[in-house]
């Protein structure tokens, strides 16, 4: 069925578009061209297409008051596409519905005579807007065409994350904001910041100012130094929250602490000779002096209290990786108990599973074959980051310079996509990790993150039995203009047909 022709609306829109000076931005749509296919990543649970299409040249938004996040994202989309709002135009309705099947994050998107977005929550409606955004072009055009359809969608996992190591090499707040915008397009919802490590301490702690004065001034060789003030981090948290992203802080302890030891020498044991800032890439040599509990635990408490005051996230990551020490399990238990006492949930890298933790503590798996079954049997939920699938500091292709300790052949897009979380029955989701020993700066980060994060998003959102690489390649291949519009300096992935002129960069 053809939609009815509304000459008044068309004229109004043409006038608005001409006034905005954008009518030349895209070729006019041939009247008999087929309506575009639905290219959505991550793959929605169900898409039913109906005969006909909706032609859009101006819209009337209804219901935004009940969904501020979604309304903001929709307004941004309309502004980008220079889609005028006019009372008599095609309605775009945001509505909160009491449909338990949609859960906390699901949504329905119906394109008929109007565009109806329904969800139980603002978050669900935000995701409906992101799907609508992917159905539309990335650039302004004189007119838009959508196939009539009903999408019903819910995520498989609640944790759809990426971790950025800003400790080895610093990434400025402006980059993190851009990164959050890009995550939001693909319904990724956890940004884990690895804020401290041997090479740098990136978070202002007011009770211990030298952490950033000394620890913030170092970086891995070739990387960037720097740190975030508490005010900057609070603004980042708010920016992320408005886009459906939770920022999860990590303070890595009791190892990976050379930057802290260089800042406050008393945190080290007396026999430690080297208390200088560190710019190498070896791991596992530094440790808080666990034989000095009167020094170490007040420090840890101070840091965690200030971290908790900045980040409202339910979870706080306290590291716990790559250190052997007789008092390791005791430390992890005590640090995790501090997080619990603050009303938050501790996350530990998998090694923390040896400690006496409350079953609510989350464990983050990073070695593919790590023996985690006993911890799962004790009730621990898992965040899945097996390095051979999800450590995207590794190459986009075999032989790309950089980290290769986990998988010599790199972690190509198809490999990321092949990860199946379903055998892990307590998994809350998946998280890719970008370590920055060899990834310095924004262009390098972009090139490692994209398009692989789109595959991560689909692994986390779309049930394994429903998705497939061929379909992903077709849909993601078509979304390249969306990444271009966001200024992403992505890897020109040959599987997606992107290995053209951009490859030269
Ligand atoms: C890790 O890669 N050391 C968590």
């Amino acid at each position: 069925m053809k939609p009815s022709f509304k000459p008044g609306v068309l004229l109004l829109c043409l006038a608005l578009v001409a006034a905005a000076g954008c009518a030349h931005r895209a070729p006019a749509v041939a009247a008999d061209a087929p309506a575009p296919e639905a290219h959505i990543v991550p793959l929605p649970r169900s898409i039913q297409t109906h005969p006909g299409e909706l032609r859009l040249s101006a819209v009337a938004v209804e219901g935004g008051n009940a969904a501020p996040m979604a309304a903001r994202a929709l307004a941004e989309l309309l502004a980008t596409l220079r889609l005028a709002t006019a009372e008599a135009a095609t309605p775009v309705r945001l509505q909160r519905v009491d449909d338990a099947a949609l859960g906390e994050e699901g949504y329905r998107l119906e394109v008929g005579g109007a565009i109806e977005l329904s969800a139980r929550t603002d978050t669900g409606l935000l995701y409906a807007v992101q799907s609508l955004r992917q159905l539309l072009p990335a650039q302004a055009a004189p007119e838009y065409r959508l196939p009539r359809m009903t999408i019903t969608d819910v995520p498989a996992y609640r944790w759809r994350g990426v971790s950025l190591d800003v400790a080895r090499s610093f990434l400025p707040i402006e980059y993190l904001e851009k990164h959050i915008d890009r995550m939001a397009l693909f319904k990724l919802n956890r940004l884990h910041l690895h804020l401290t490590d041997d090479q740098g301490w990136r978070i202002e702690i007011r009770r211990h100012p030298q952490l950033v004065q000394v620890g913030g001034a170092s970086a891995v060789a070739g990387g960037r130094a720097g740190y975030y003030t508490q005010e900057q981090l609070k603004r980042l948290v708010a920016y992320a929250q408005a886009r459906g992203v939770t920022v999860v802080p990590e303070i890595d302890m009791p190892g990976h602490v050379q930057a802290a030891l260089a800042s406050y020498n008393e945190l080290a044991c007396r026999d430690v000779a080297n208390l200088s800032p560190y710019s190498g890439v070896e791991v596992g040599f530094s440790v808080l002096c666990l034989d000095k509990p009167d020094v170490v635990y007040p420090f840890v408490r101070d840091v965690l209290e200030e971290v908790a005051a900045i980040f409202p996230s339910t979870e706080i990551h306290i590291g716990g990786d790559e250190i052997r020490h007789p008092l390791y399990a005791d430390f992890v238990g005590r640090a995790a108990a501090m997080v619990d006492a603050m009303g938050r949930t501790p996350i530990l890298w998998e090694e923390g599973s040896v400690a006496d933790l409350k079953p609510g503590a989350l464990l983050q798996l990073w070695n593919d074959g790590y023996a985690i079954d006993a911890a799962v049997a004790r009730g621990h939920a898992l965040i899945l980051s097996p390095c051979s699938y999800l450590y995207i500091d590794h190459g986009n292709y075999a032989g790309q310079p950089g980290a290769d300790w986990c998988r010599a052949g790199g972690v190509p897009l198809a490999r990321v996509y092949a990860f199946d979380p379903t055998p892990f029955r307590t998994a809350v989701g998946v998280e890719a990790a970008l370590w920055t020993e060899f990834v310095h700066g924004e262009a390098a980060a972009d090139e490692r993150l994209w398009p692989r994060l789109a595959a991560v998003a689909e692994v986390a959102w779309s049930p394994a039995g429903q998705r497939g690489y061929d379909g992903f390649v077709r849909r993601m291949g078509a979304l390249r203009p969306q990444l271009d519009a966001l200024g992403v300096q992505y890897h020109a992935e040959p599987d997606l047909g992107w290995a053209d002129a951009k490859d030269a960069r």
Side-chain angles (χ1 to χ4, degrees):
M1 195 182 77
K2 284 244 162 71
S4 58
F5 179 58
K6 293 190 180 127
V9 169
L10 183 61
L11 284 176
L12 170 66
C13 178
L14 283 177
L16 286 165
V17 167
C22 66
H24 63 285
R25 297 291 290 276
V29 179
D32 54 355
E37 207 188 329
H39 293 119
I40 299 180
V41 173
L43 180 67
R45 197 61 71 100
S46 135
I47 303 183
Q48 288 172 279
T49 50
H50 312 303
E53 64 178 10
L54 175 67
R55 291 187 176 215
L56 271 187
S57 40
V59 295
V61 177
E62 297 171 17
N65 290 348
M69 271 198 303
R72 196 202 54 77
L74 182 59
E76 214 171 85
L77 174 64
L78 300 181
T80 303
L81 297 184
R82 309 209 184 174
L83 250 168
T85 50
E87 263 178 33
T90 309
V92 178
R93 293 193 190 100
L94 296 165
Q95 48 213 352
R96 303 274 287 258
V97 293
D98 190 18
D99 180 348
L102 295 178
E104 292 305 299
E105 298 188 287
Y107 66 91
R108 201 163 21 251
L109 165 53
E110 291 183 84
V111 180
I115 297 176
E116 313 264 358
L117 314 179
S118 324
R120 289 179 71 198
T121 62
D122 192 9
T123 306
L125 285 168
L126 173 69
Y127 294 147
V129 172
Q130 299 299 7
S131 289
L132 177 63
R133 183 172 163 198
Q134 292 189 355
L135 289 170
L136 289 163
Q139 304 279 355
E143 188 193 33
Y144 301 94
R145 305 168 67 214
L146 290 169
R148 289 183 180 233
M149 64 173 88
T150 304
I151 296 176
T152 308
D153 202 6
V154 287
Y157 292 100
R158 70 173 177 86
W159 193 285
R160 304 178 298 278
V162 52
S163 121
L164 296 182
D165 170 10
V166 293
R168 269 54 177 262
S169 187
F170 181 71
L171 289 163
I173 286 281
E174 297 72 31
Y175 180 79
L176 299 184
E177 289 181 356
K178 274 196 290 190
H179 180 68
I180 288 164
D181 292 340
R182 296 157 180 187
M183 288 175 67
L185 177 61
F186 294 95
K187 308 184 180 93
L188 290 163
N189 67 352
R190 293 291 188 287
L191 174 58
H192 163 181
L193 292 181
H194 183 77
L195 288 163
T196 67
D197 212 301
D198 290 315
Q199 297 85 346
W201 184 285
R202 307 291 176 219
I203 173 174
E204 177 193 21
I205 301 296
R206 294 197 176 139
R207 277 173 275 182
H208 301 281
Q210 281 161 225
L211 286 169
V212 290
Q213 287 160 9
V214 176
S218 57
V220 75
R224 281 196 209 167
Y227 69 89
Y228 310 112
T229 65
Q230 296 200 356
E231 289 314 311
Q232 284 177 321
L233 288 169
K234 284 181 187 161
R235 281 199 298 275
L236 182 75
V237 164
Y239 186 93
Q241 258 173 352
R243 289 154 182 82
V245 174
T246 301
V247 184
V248 180
E250 179 188 353
I251 305 297
D252 200 354
M253 306 178 283
H256 290 266
V257 289
Q258 186 68 14
L261 305 188
S263 305
Y264 289 100
N265 293 174
E266 63 272 26
L267 294 170
C269 287
R270 264 179 271 285
D271 60 348
V272 175
N274 181 4
L275 292 168
S276 305
Y278 177 68
S279 60
V281 296
E282 297 307 316
V283 297
F285 62 91
S286 66
V287 63
L288 296 172
C289 187
L290 302 183
D291 301 316
K292 291 202 251 176
D294 296 347
V295 176
V296 163
Y297 288 104
F299 171 79
V300 170
R301 181 181 303 283
D302 285 351
V303 170
L304 290 176
E305 279 177 1
E306 294 197 27
V307 165
I310 298 166
F311 297 94
S313 56
T314 309
E315 292 87 3
I316 293 178
H317 202 311
I318 51 174
D321 57 326
E322 296 184 301
I323 196 72
R324 287 179 186 280
H325 191 287
L327 293 175
Y328 169 81
D330 177 60
F331 174 86
V332 166
R334 291 171 71 164
M338 283 185 204
V339 175
D340 279 324
M342 292 170 192
R344 309 296 181 91
T345 300
I347 307 176
L348 285 140
W349 294 107
E350 61 198 14
E351 296 99 312
S353 59
V354 301
D356 183 17
L357 298 170
K358 286 195 176 165
L362 286 168
L363 295 170
Q364 186 163 8
L365 200 64
W366 63 279
N367 281 294
D368 288 48
Y370 191 83
I372 203 72
D373 289 357
V376 168
R378 290 198 302 277
H380 289 294
L382 302 179
I383 298 167
L384 304 174
S385 305
C387 58
S388 86
Y389 291 93
L390 293 170
Y391 269 27
I392 56 176
D393 57 332
H394 281 53
N396 285 290
Y397 51 88
Q400 185 173 25
D404 66 354
W405 59 265
C406 179
R407 191 165 189 272
V411 181
L413 182 68
R415 171 92 188 161
V416 174
Y417 195 86
F419 180 59
D420 178 6
T422 47
F424 300 90
R425 67 177 174 81
T426 61
V428 292
V430 301
E431 185 176 294
L434 183 72
W435 303 102
T436 56
E437 286 95 335
F438 306 106
V439 180
H440 308 151
E442 300 169 28
D446 272 10
E447 200 269 348
R448 299 281 160 154
L449 291 167
W450 301 101
R452 288 184 289 185
L453 278 188
V456 174
E458 186 147 313
V459 166
W461 183 282
S462 315
Q466 248 180 280
R467 59 184 173 86
Y469 191 57
D470 289 349
F472 171 76
V473 161
R474 196 169 32 75
R475 285 175 285 110
M476 190 58 211
L479 291 178
R480 180 179 185 172
Q482 297 278 357
L483 293 188
D484 286 331
L486 290 170
V488 182
Q489 301 181 70
Y490 49 79
H491 169 61
E493 173 56 51
D495 279 10
L496 298 179
W498 295 357
D500 53 20
K502 281 210 156 125
D503 225 3
R505 134 184 102 203

